Structures are given as structure tokens and as C-alpha cells.
Amino acid sequence: MKNQLTRREFIKKNALTGLVAGLPVSLLANHNAQPAILGGAPAWNKNNWPIWPQWNPETDEKELISVIRSGVWSRAAMVTEFEKQWAAAVGTQRCLAVVNGTNALVTALAQYGIQAGDEVIVPPYTFIATVSAVLSNGALPVFVDVDPETFQIDPAKIEAKITPRTKAIIPVHILGLPADMTPIMAIAKKHNLVVIEDACQAHLAEYQNKKVGSIGNAGCFSFQNSKNLAVGEGGAIVSNDNAFMDRCFSFTNFGNPYGTAVGSVSTGSTMQGTKLRWTEYQAAIGLAQLRRLEAQTTLRNENAAYLKSKIKDIPGIRPYRLYDQVTRAAFHLFPFRYEAQEFKGLSRADFLEALRAEDIPCSSGYAVLNTQPFLADTFKSKIYQNAYSKETLSSYNEHNHCPQNDQLCKEAVWFTQNMLLASRNDMDRIASAIEKVYQNAEQIKKRAKN
Ligand SMILES: *Cc1c(COP(=O)(O)O)cnc(C)c1O
């Protein structure tokens, strides 16, 4: 309703509020231009977006080559150095590097004793690994709906989902935008729940000037290739809980006591464990990437704020909102909601296609997770059949409806983090392309129908 403005009204309204003066020349000049999908010139030339991951042979290869030539490839000093630097960057006492973010979560849950019979609160708007990690431990993921304005778990809906079986909350700082940690921590304290932050997309994001991952009992990070700190594969657990971190070390090293060097045998395992160690060359790549993370994070924040300011008044474009206590985001993705009715009913798929024709890469983001059939399949296993009542498992879908998330998954549009490393002028090009599609929505819709 609020956004139902014609183009003329839109310009008039914005002219009155002085916004047109602030619009980039490209945006104003372009509003009559033919969209690329209808045969016009694209807003941008193909393949000129910053590549990802970044690598500079001159500055990045020294440690890596020294590792390769040393022949010390299993966990040793380089991994320890990376852990030291990542703990310092996040502001925790400890860090343990592991094979990936998924297993960082699996380990953290296991070492806080989460197991079959327990329930873990998760948001539905997340990467599948958040939920897989809960299932890997035999626990039941309990979905709490999202706040569609922020894309994050809605803290106001958590308490209604807490039962005597609830043991933990996994707030996910999804898209690199921090979840609302103050109410989440208060609820956790009240109900004596462990908080494991899934910060796999939120490197150096901050809430009340504290890095995410350092606020809950533990934080988990991913260094997979697409992530803001990219190593190909990799992950880390951070925490100030020494006993917990010692257990995580043991679990990921065959159960050997904390500090046992690689290659030691007959050390006497302290627990049943597995092996999830990082290699020295992964740490060397990670250290090289860590040197550029701070500046990249600043640039992403600047460009995201600028792009948001340029598109927020286009009817039907609803950019993310950050919670008031967020002091910095990571912007693994730049999200907004797309309201087709404001674009003359042009579907999201057709909107995305038109943007891509302008050489603006974009995607529709996550599909609905909480109703995926793999969940029901998992619950058929002996672990679940033995640990949960028939009633709990058969009414699972009914108790895990997330209507806000269902709608969000239909409306979301994402730009990837590497696009936010481009120039301000390129942010103008994105805005201008969206504006062009808005102007020509009717014709684009007609074309899509034919
Ligand atoms: C990437 C990601 C993970 C898993 O990390 P991997 O390193 O790919 O195993 C978990 N949670 C979220 C939110 C992620 O984005």
C-alpha cells in the first residue's frame, strides 16, 4: 500500500523530499533507457565484477611456498598461528581450526553435550548445514520464524518454542547481518540454554561493538571458497570457555588430550573422537586472506549502505534492516525483498532475468528449508524413533510452520559479497539497472509472457 506510487508520483515525492538531487546522474539519465532484456544496452559489461577469491602472488605466496617446501603439511605452527590471529580478530581467548564450518557446528554442539532426545532452536532462513549439524548429533531442530525485515531469527518467537527438551539456540547471522543477540542471550540465560552462534557468513560483523561469534558460548565460522574469508575449505570454533575448547580439540584429534602434537601415538584418548584437522597450507592461505579482510569488510559496509540508500525508495524494493545494536555487518550477501505487485506483477524470476541481462548477477536465495523431505526421512532412523515420541515426530511439520519465512523465500533477492568490492559507480549501475526494470516492468512482463 505504502509503496503504491506511479513513477511520476515517485519522482514528485522524492523531489519534494530533496531525494532527486541526491540520485546519481546515471540513475536519472537512464530512466528512459531501453532495458537490455528488451534489446537496450546493458547497465554494465560482462565479467567486470571483482573476482573471488582474491589472490596476489607477490604478497600472498611467501608463507604458502615455505609450507610446501618444508614438508610439514599436517597441523603444526602455521595452523596455531592462524588460530591465534583469528581469535584476536574475533576477540575470543581461543580458536580451533577445523575442516569446515559444518563440522565446526557439529563439534560445538557435541561438546556442549547436545544429543539424541534434545531440541535445538534454529532459524529456517539459513544454509542447510546449520540444520545438518543438529541432525548429525541426533538432536531435533526446532524452527523459529524469521523477522522478514532483517532476514534473521525473530527473538520474540523463541520462547514459545522452548520445551523441557530444549538445550541450545543456534542464532545464525545469516547473509552476514547480525542476529538480535541481546534478547537471544537473555532468553538463553533465563532458560539455561547454550548459545552457539553460526557466524559462517559473518566474519568481523559486530553487535554492540562485539564481534559476532564472541557473544554466545561459542561461535562457528566457515572459510569455504565463497565466504568472506576464503580458503577453499575450512572452519573454526571460537570461545572463551577453556574446558569446552579443550574438548573440541580432543574430539577433532581422535580424542587425544588437548595440545597433543600431530604424530604422537599412544597418548591415551580422553574421549571418543574423530579427526577434523586443518592442514598447514590451508592456514598459510588463511593468513594471507586475513590480511585483506578488515579493509574488504569496511568497503562492503560502505558500498552496501550506499546501494541501500540508492534503491530504498524504488517502490517494491525493500532492502534489509539492521538491528539498532548492530555496529558493523559483514555483508556476505546484500539482500532485499522484491514485491512483484509494485512492478506491475512482474514475477521475481522475470525481474532477476531482466537484471541479469543488465549484467547484474543476482539470485533468489534460499528455498524453504523447514519442510524439506530429508527431515522426515531422517526421523525414520532408529536414533530418532528411539529418542522421540511418535507424537513429537508425527506433529513435527505442524509445530514447525514458519509463514514469514515461506513468504521471505518467495521475495528475497541477493547480490553476492564480491559485488560490494566494486566501485561506488558500480553501485550506481546496480541501482540504475533496477530503476530501468521498474520503469519498463509492463513491457518486460509482456515479453516474459510471449
Ligand atoms: C557455509 C555455511 C555453513 C557451513 O560451512 P562449510 O564450511 O561450507 O561447511 C554453515 N552455516 C552457514 C550459515 C553457512 O553459510
Side-chain angles (χ1 to χ4, degrees):
M1 284 289 281
K2 177 170 141 254
N3 272 341
Q4 274 174 6
L5 299 176
T6 64
R7 167 70 198 177
R8 214 179 292 132
E9 282 163 351
F10 171 58
I11 286 283
K12 204 167 114 199
K13 172 179 158 257
N14 289 327
L16 287 174
T17 55
L19 267 170
V20 164
L23 286 176
V25 174
S26 59
L27 192 54
L28 289 175
N30 253 335
H31 74 258
N32 287 324
Q34 180 85 332
I37 199 151
L38 300 177
W44 182 238
N45 298 316
K46 249 193 172 71
N47 299 327
N48 276 339
W49 293 100
I51 56 150
W52 191 260
Q54 297 185 359
W55 188 255
N56 179 346
E58 267 160 46
T59 55
D60 296 343
E61 291 185 357
K62 206 169 138 252
E63 282 130 331
L64 182 59
I65 287 172
S66 82
V67 160
I68 292 169
R69 292 192 178 156
S70 75
V72 180
W73 295 348
S74 282
R75 188 197 158 100
M78 200 66 83
V79 174
T80 304
E81 179 60 23
F82 178 88
E83 288 172 344
K84 208 176 109 196
Q85 291 196 25
W86 188 243
V90 179
T92 53
Q93 282 162 29
R94 299 273 295 267
C95 168
L96 176 72
V98 292
V99 290
N100 52 44
T102 306
N103 278 286
L105 288 162
V106 169
T107 301
L109 285 163
Q111 296 317 312
Y112 273 123
I114 311 303
Q115 52 185 293
D118 297 337
E119 295 177 2
V120 178
I121 303 255
V122 293
Y125 200 73
T126 186
F127 183 58
I128 191 166
T130 313
V131 172
S132 317
V134 175
L135 297 170
S136 295
N137 282 293
L140 198 68
V142 173
F143 291 97
V144 168
D145 211 349
V146 295
D147 175 349
E149 289 195 353
T150 62
F151 295 71
Q152 309 301 313
I153 192 168
D154 187 344
K157 297 193 170 130
I158 293 177
E159 273 196 291
K161 292 290 184 84
I162 293 175
T163 76
R165 288 171 175 268
T166 311
K167 293 284 158 55
I169 306 178
I170 307 183
V172 183
H173 308 291
I174 202 65
L175 316 180
L177 316 181
D180 200 7
M181 291 306 289
T182 300
I184 292 171
M185 293 307 291
I187 293 163
K189 195 171 170 200
K190 182 173 158 195
H191 297 274
N192 197 23
L193 307 176
V194 170
V195 176
I196 296 169
E197 294 175 73
D198 182 341
C200 286
Q201 299 187 0
H203 313 73
L204 302 191
E206 291 173 9
Y207 184 92
Q208 287 181 328
N209 297 306
K210 271 192 177 165
K211 296 285 188 309
V212 305
S214 73
I215 302 167
N217 299 76
C220 295
F221 289 92
S222 167
F223 309 125
Q224 184 271 340
N225 229 52
S226 69
K227 303 294 160 85
N228 292 17
L229 198 160
V231 178
E233 299 294 351
I237 305 164
V238 297
S239 178
N240 294 320
D241 180 342
N242 279 313
F244 161 77
M245 289 302 287
D246 289 356
R247 291 196 299 275
C248 289
F249 178 96
S250 295
F251 180 69
T252 56
N253 286 279
F254 314 109
N256 287 333
Y258 172 64
T260 304
V262 166
S264 316
V265 288
S266 313
T267 49
S269 291
T270 59
M271 63 162 76
Q272 189 276 327
T274 181
K275 188 191 185 190
L276 302 168
R277 293 194 306 239
W278 228 21
T279 61
E280 288 285 273
Y281 37 84
Q282 285 172 300
I285 294 172
L287 284 166
Q289 298 298 358
L290 186 49
R291 288 195 287 269
R292 44 170 72 90
L293 182 61
E294 176 61 35
Q296 287 174 334
T297 305
T298 299
L299 183 56
R300 287 189 192 102
N301 273 270
E302 287 168 1
N303 274 332
Y306 180 75
L307 178 57
K308 182 180 177 181
S309 76
K310 290 295 157 192
I311 65 173
K312 72 177 174 32
D313 294 311
I314 300 174
I317 303 293
R318 299 281 192 95
Y320 63 89
R321 180 173 82 79
L322 297 176
Y323 292 104
D324 292 344
Q325 289 160 350
V326 171
T327 42
R328 193 188 205 189
F331 292 106
H332 180 57
L333 292 144
F334 178 104
F336 60 89
R337 283 175 295 152
Y338 170 75
E339 296 174 328
Q341 69 274 22
E342 302 292 343
F343 277 65
K344 309 271 169 40
L346 181 73
S347 73
R348 179 179 63 171
D350 292 334
F351 171 77
L352 292 173
E353 198 191 342
L355 271 192
R356 288 187 196 117
E358 305 289 344
D359 292 322
I360 310 293
C362 50
S363 82
S364 54
Y366 294 128
V368 172
L369 178 59
N370 49 310
T371 55
Q372 285 195 17
F374 81 91
L375 286 162
D377 288 344
T378 306
F379 301 154
K380 287 176 194 152
S381 73
K382 276 186 202 157
I383 290 177
Y384 284 87
Q385 294 291 320
N386 291 336
Y388 301 90
S389 71
K390 274 209 165 61
E391 154 74 33
T392 300
L393 296 179
S394 64
S395 65
Y396 185 79
N397 279 345
E398 201 182 304
H399 287 121
N400 283 278
H401 275 163
C402 294
Q404 298 284 350
N405 183 63
D406 294 346
Q407 185 63 20
L408 182 61
C409 290
K410 286 181 195 149
E411 294 182 348
V413 174
W414 292 354
F415 299 133
T416 51
Q417 51 86 12
N418 62 306
M419 295 166 74
L420 298 174
L421 299 176
S423 68
R424 186 153 279 211
N425 197 30
D426 300 330
M427 299 305 108
D428 287 334
R429 288 178 212 272
I430 298 175
S432 141
I434 296 174
E435 177 73 3
K436 228 201 274 186
V437 174
Y438 175 76
Q439 279 314 308
N440 296 277
E442 191 77 61
Q443 294 94 300
I444 296 172
K445 194 174 123 187
K446 270 191 205 132
R447 175 202 167 269
K449 271 202 184 129
N450 293 335

